[in-house]
Amino acid sequence: MEFLSAAVLSGVVYDLIKHQVQVTAESLKEKLRDWVIDEAVAPALAIEIEKLELNDEMSEKAIERHISASTDIQNILSSIVPNTTNVIIQHHSGTGDNIGGNKIIR
């Protein structure tokens, strides 16, 4: 399973800083909604990012280097995995199957 990388996180942080949004647990959870983030992980990640003292004059690559250099952030990132939950909403009327996903016949 693929973990959240420093490159992905740096892009998110860069966008937040560029739009003058404070990097908080809530803003990170909103931007990383496609990833499974525990309630304790988001605040810890926000605190570690704040320690890096990133600013709006930094490029995305510079932010990525700072994030990659932080062992604490790397440890946190290794616990964040993609959200693989699929929600299928279907409406069915008539005859036949209403299968969401792959139909397995045995």
Side-chain angles (χ1 to χ4, degrees), residues 60-102:
E60 189 172 343
K61 195 68 175 166
I63 292 171
E64 181 182 349
R65 277 193 292 263
H66 279 76
I67 289 172
S68 295
S70 171
T71 56
D72 292 332
I73 291 178
Q74 293 306 310
N75 290 336
I76 293 170
L77 291 180
S78 67
S79 70
I80 300 173
V81 295
N83 185 355
T84 56
T85 304
N86 293 327
V87 177
I88 299 172
I89 299 173
Q90 294 180 324
H91 299 285
H92 180 67
S93 62
T95 60
D97 294 331
N98 186 19
I99 305 296
N102 297 327

Side-chain angles (χ1 to χ4, degrees), residues 25-42:
E26 290 304 313
S27 64
L28 287 173
K29 283 174 25 181
E30 172 63 28
K31 285 289 194 179
L32 298 172
R33 65 178 161 248
D34 292 337
W35 299 84
V36 178
I37 299 181
D38 189 277
E39 289 298 318
V41 171

